[in-house]
Amino acid sequence: MKLRILFGCVLLCSPGLIAGQVKTTPGPTAGAPEIPHLQKQGTATQLIVDGKPFLMLGGELSNSSGTSPVYMRPLWSKLVDAKLNTVLAGVSWNQIEPQEGKFDFSALDGIVRDARIHNLRLVLLWFGSWKNSWSSYPPDWVKKDFERFPRVQTAGGKSIEVLSALSDANRDADAHAFAALLGHVKAIDSQQRTVIMIQVENELGLPSEPKEFRDHSPMATKAYEGPVPKELMDYLQQHKDALVPELRRVWEAAGSKTSGTWEQVFGAGTATAEIFMGWNYARYVGRVVEAGKAAYPIQMFTNAYTYEFAKAGEAIRNSGTPMPDLMDVWRAGAPKVDVFALDIYGSDFASFCADYNRSGNPLLIPETRGMPPYPMEARALYAFGRHDAMGVSLMGVERPAATPDPLLTASYGLIAQLAPLIAKHQGDGSMSAVLLDPKGPPQNIKVGNYTLEAAPMGAGRGAPPSTDFAAAIFIAVGPDEYYAAGGGVSVRFSPIGPGPEFAGVGTVEEGWFENGRWVPSRQLAGDETGQGQNLSLRTHPADRNPDRYAGIQHFTLYRYH
Ligand code: DGJ
């Protein structure tokens, strides 16, 4: 028989943070002008800001908001109230280089200044050659000169408003502007480090309409009918055993050749066109990233919202985009891209996270939103707890309806409290999380020395049904000692490995962290632990008082016969 414990808990936050361990508070630390960088910890990759692991609790502005400091002025305090520590803001190529070679960074300077005043960090989104597939952000002098800056063409020879990734002129113009941007960021921010990462382009890849898997411009077709570049063939052979299975299957199905045309090496299927486009976009972005890092070697990532090759007859989605199936092609073509980030709006959040957080790619989510059955605050907890995420971000965070969302605020506040524990336990298997459909089945996870069977609250376990939220993070801080936080979940325990077969719950405290110190409030037992039957993380909207309500539980387990 498994032991059961029940105790009350809801998402909440306390302003306190463990000083010196982890950085979630914005603002620079004196004396250490270290450029934000990535660092491995076990299987996890952490973003280090001012010498400390940084968990990005982000919000992405709507596309045009970052182009006007005046527009943003009344919004910063709302972003602070929402307990964000990072704002993701677009930088428009057209706005910074309205005339060729003449740069105007005044809007950017205002955004950086005001973010700094509000103690917020920034991730800049380079809206350069491509934004959601299309080329709407290049300056007019690029758009007008379609001879010098060629477009993608359809199989029917029609140009579409997408800069061709096979054009060196397009690439060099973008790289030149991007290098100027990074040089400017270095000049205004290498001491304060308000800017912590840069996203390069935005959801690039061929648009889904017109339905083209590849660029059919003459130079693209000549390249497609030519040999697969040696760099890509060398990469495939050198990484043969570590390739993502989907790419390896395509290559093997065509005989794992080590040279030949694209169709000889990858076959005549649509995946070949996607690989071809992936390679050419990667080469292009790779050069842009190199130019940027030569000016200021800060972390750079791409973002995408798909994960697999289109199946026969399926709609095309961004052919060539930096998605998991193409991760190796992108690594070969753009080795200096640090992270392939994920934009996820749909309800298949968990599977997308698993797909992007593989093959050593850290999980970073610049764009997501709550969608039943997984609200934003559940997604955030799950991404950090289950996938050692570097950061999550709510898209359109400054939109009136979105700010401040008490649930997001509670969630970010809670994660900020837990951040030292999360950062300490990333990558060593002592932390996990569940993301449950409140009306769905339980899930089993192994954390430390115990299996946790987590079920949505109310799933026949004596507690009132939770509202719309069923997610929790669990951190084993000792052989039989844990912290847990979240809501809408009740948990049963069973021991892992040899020894007494039953698990019991020892002491359960509810509380929060204040300046890194654990502050216990109630000691839970009896009804609050279901007479010892279930560990229960409740969610009662009324309880979502972000500041004082204790949302974290600290408990011990033991084994017995
Ligand atoms: C995903 C894009 O990356 C964003 O810039 C934005 O266009 C959203 N889609 C829709 O708001």
Side-chain angles (χ1 to χ4, degrees):
M1 190 210 50
K2 296 179 186 163
L3 181 78
R4 312 188 176 296
I5 292 204
L6 177 69
F7 63 95
C9 172
V10 166
L11 268 190
L12 64 73
C13 63
S14 148
L17 293 167
I18 297 183
Q21 282 191 349
V22 168
K23 191 148 193 59
T24 50
T25 51
T29 310
E34 210 185 344
I35 292 182
H37 58 281
L38 300 186
Q39 183 174 291
K40 291 293 284 180
Q41 175 174 287
T43 56
T45 302
Q46 298 181 319
L47 172 64
I48 306 297
V49 175
D50 292 353
K52 298 185 186 74
F54 185 89
L55 298 185
M56 184 183 87
L57 304 175
E60 176 164 329
L61 301 177
S62 303
N63 292 167
S64 309
S65 303
T67 63
S68 166
V70 174
Y71 175 87
M72 281 303 298
R73 199 156 295 140
L75 298 171
W76 291 107
S77 56
K78 288 189 178 182
L79 302 178
V80 174
D81 295 347
K83 296 206 182 294
L84 269 64
N85 62 19
T86 306
V87 170
L88 288 73
V91 176
S92 154
W93 185 4
N94 191 12
Q95 187 181 43
I96 66 161
E97 193 183 11
Q99 288 171 283
E100 185 165 7
K102 292 206 171 45
F103 291 95
D104 172 1
F105 295 111
S106 52
L108 175 65
D109 292 347
I111 295 294
V112 173
R113 176 201 59 222
D114 295 343
R116 209 176 274 162
I117 289 168
H118 290 84
N119 254 344
L120 288 165
R121 302 281 177 161
L122 280 174
V123 170
L124 300 180
L125 316 172
W126 173 233
F127 294 161
S129 295
W130 302 292
K131 163 79 181 52
N132 299 24
S133 296
W134 297 93
S135 299
S136 56
Y137 278 87
D140 296 1
W141 55 270
V142 170
K143 288 179 175 175
K144 288 181 188 153
D145 192 346
F146 52 83
E147 301 291 349
R148 182 176 163 204
F149 301 110
R151 304 299 193 269
V152 166
Q153 287 184 7
T154 64
K158 181 173 171 293
S159 289
I160 57 175
E161 196 42 330
V162 178
L163 292 183
S164 174
L166 283 99
S167 153
D168 295 353
N170 294 347
R171 181 198 63 207
D172 296 347
D174 187 321
H176 180 253
F178 188 64
L181 169 65
L182 270 293
H184 184 74
V185 172
K186 181 178 183 185
I188 65 164
D189 191 53
S190 60
Q191 289 304 309
Q192 296 85 349
R193 304 165 303 282
T194 303
V195 178
I196 56 174
M197 278 196 280
I198 309 274
Q199 177 189 294
V200 189
E201 316 293 349
N202 190 92
E203 291 189 356
L204 59 80
L206 291 184
S208 48
E209 279 301 333
K211 289 188 175 35
E212 300 287 357
F213 274 100
R214 71 169 177 85
D215 178 355
H216 288 270
S217 61
M219 68 183 159
T221 298
K222 184 162 173 282
Y224 187 70
E225 291 164 355
V228 176
K230 186 173 179 316
E231 302 106 301
L232 180 53
M233 291 318 304
D234 290 351
Y235 181 97
L236 294 181
Q237 288 164 75
Q238 282 152 19
H239 299 82
K240 196 173 172 107
D241 302 329
L243 295 176
V244 292
E246 295 80 2
L247 177 70
R248 187 170 165 174
R249 264 200 296 278
V250 173
W251 185 31
E252 284 177 353
S256 300
K257 295 189 188 67
T258 56
S259 66
T261 66
W262 290 88
E263 294 203 350
Q264 286 165 346
V265 172
F266 298 108
T270 53
T272 302
E274 292 191 70
I275 297 167
F276 171 76
M277 289 313 297
W279 171 256
N280 287 292
Y281 275 120
R283 293 299 287 156
Y284 187 116
V285 169
R287 284 290 187 82
V288 172
V289 165
E290 278 159 21
K293 286 199 174 194
Y296 187 43
I298 196 168
Q299 301 319 301
M300 297 185 187
F301 65 92
T302 59
N303 67 325
Y305 72 92
T306 59
Y307 65 83
E308 59 183 0
F309 292 128
K311 298 194 179 46
E314 246 193 5
I316 305 164
R317 302 175 311 260
N318 288 19
S319 176
T321 196
M323 61 180 186
D325 285 9
L326 282 175
M327 236 188 265
D328 294 297
V329 175
W330 268 80
R331 285 194 176 125
K336 289 214 164 60
V337 168
D338 300 291
V339 180
F340 300 111
L342 160 65
D343 295 344
I344 169 76
Y345 291 92
S347 58
D348 38 8
F349 186 78
S351 59
F352 267 83
C353 288
D355 248 301
Y356 274 75
N357 184 212
R358 63 176 166 147
S359 171
N361 185 51
L363 184 64
L364 174 64
I365 305 178
E367 297 183 33
T368 190
R369 269 199 209 112
M371 179 189 272
Y374 309 123
M376 176 67 190
E377 62 271 18
R379 294 171 181 234
L381 268 179
Y382 182 78
F384 285 113
R386 186 68 163 264
H387 288 281
D388 298 327
M390 218 181 269
V392 296
S393 159
L394 172 70
M395 178 62 201
V397 68
E398 89 287 13
R399 291 176 192 160
T403 311
D405 165 350
L407 305 183
L408 179 73
T409 306
S411 173
Y412 276 6
L414 183 79
I415 296 166
Q417 277 186 60
L418 286 167
L421 281 177
I422 293 174
K424 186 168 172 228
H425 290 270
Q426 283 186 324
D428 71 358
S430 61
M431 175 171 68
S432 190
V434 289
L435 180 67
L436 306 175
D437 176 339
K439 309 229 166 1
Q443 274 176 26
N444 280 8
I445 53 172
K446 294 186 181 342
V447 186
N449 299 329
Y450 294 83
T451 297
L452 285 58
E453 186 197 284
M457 186 62 72
R461 291 203 182 157
S466 74
T467 48
D468 58 357
F469 180 87
I473 186 170
F474 303 92
I475 305 173
V477 293
D480 303 300
E481 186 186 355
Y482 291 78
Y483 285 92
V489 175
S490 74
V491 187
R492 298 176 177 176
F493 299 91
S494 50
I496 298 171
E501 72 270 35
F502 297 126
V505 172
T507 305
V508 184
E509 289 173 335
E510 149 188 272
W512 58 84
F513 284 101
E514 221 153 64
N515 299 324
R517 192 174 48 79
W518 172 243
V519 183
S521 68
R522 294 183 298 170
Q523 189 165 88
L524 304 175
D527 295 350
E528 278 64 56
T529 61
Q531 317 316 326
Q533 296 308 299
N534 292 346
L535 175 119
S536 170
L537 302 157
R538 294 175 198 275
T539 51
H540 295 299
D543 292 342
R544 291 190 179 185
N545 166 346
D547 288 328
R548 300 307 304 155
Y549 191 86
I552 304 172
Q553 299 191 7
H554 176 217
F555 62 96
T556 57
L557 299 173
Y558 63 91
R559 301 177 62 156
Y560 68 98
H561 280 305

